[in-house]
Amino acid sequence: MASEIKITFLGTSASIPSSKRNHTGILITYKSENILVDCGEGIQRQFRRARLNPGNLSKILITHWHGDHVFGLPGLFQTLALNEYNKNMQIFGPGNTKYFMKNFIHTFIPVFKFEADVKELNKKGIFFENDDFYLESFEVKHGGFPTNAYNFVLKDRRRIDKKKLKKFGLPEGKHLADLRKGKNIIYEGKKYLAKDLTYVEKGKKISIVLDTVYFEKLKDFVKGADLFICESSFGDDLKDMAKEHGHLTSGQAGMIAKKAKAKKLILTHISQRYEPKLKELEGYAKKYFKEVSVAKDLDKIVIK
Ligand SMILES: [Zn+2]
Ligand SMILES: [Zn+2]
């Protein structure tokens, strides 16, 4: 069975939270990995409401150090320290991340010991990789404030076709290891070809683009995404204001999704201005791209 990727929207508000929407936080769960993209104020309680345990976190990716994306960090660190968190927490963020992390820890948590491995990502590219997936960052344009977008990419995997094993009369076991690598094997003097017994399961790509203005290269980073999560602080009715504040409109999010040939677009970072007219906000994106919806807090998406 294919492994699932789960996405949980812990917070979906723009810069000011509302009674319906918490500050930003997106959790990606795959096998034992729990990767939190941004940690807005109140994220700890959102974990509780979603019946998830922040103690399972393995990585935090910070898009940028504006308050609505990071004010949840000190509280989260304090709780993790109190609960004797003992995993190796890795924190990734843009070029000013070490400075802000040091000051955050210093200001808020002098008593509790919490250590994390902090890495600054200064250029586009892969910054974490294992056998299953890789993580990729890309610098976006948010009013000159260092800001990253992120991709989670599950790699293509070669799988053994069990029906064909049976057909060829080949038992399961360690002798099949090379087949998984795409190599032919010899078993009990007989040769078996990888191409006859295996198939390639296509990987998955999840792109997360939060605060940024529109620019052409965004589509390249998002290219072919199975799920594209994108900020849309404004609708196309306030296009100039969006640009002035360093943000995207929902129409621009739709345009990126279309150009990138994404499969699905979810709009987040929603301003309370649009709460009474979410259909309108969605509609601007729909002009360009049909498969679109607006995220709600605690929404869960499973990518198989
Ligand atoms: Zn923001
Ligand atoms: Zn921002």
Side-chain angles (χ1 to χ4, degrees), residues 29 39 85 108 129 136 144 173 179 192 202-203 229 247 296:
T29 307
C39 185
Y85 176 86
F108 292 103
E129 183 167 15
E136 200 175 15
L179 280 181
Y192 295 90
K202 194 91 186 77
I229 299 168
H247 285 286
K296 295 193 301 295

Side-chain angles (χ1 to χ4, degrees), residues 223-241:
K223 193 176 175 191
D226 294 274
L227 176 62
F228 171 33
I229 299 168
C230 189
E231 77 122 323
S232 62
S233 308
F234 296 88
D236 287 18
D237 53 331
L238 295 174
K239 212 169 175 179
D240 291 343
M241 201 190 276

Side-chain angles (χ1 to χ4, degrees), residues 64 68-69 211 247 269:
H64 65 304
D68 53 321
H69 297 254
D211 303 7
H247 285 286
H269 203 276

Side-chain angles (χ1 to χ4, degrees), residues 198-215:
T198 63
Y199 62 96
V200 174
E201 187 181 273
K202 194 91 186 77
K204 299 284 174 202
K205 175 172 173 176
I206 294 158
S207 297
I208 300 180
V209 174
L210 296 178
D211 303 7
T212 181
V213 290
Y214 181 84
F215 60 105

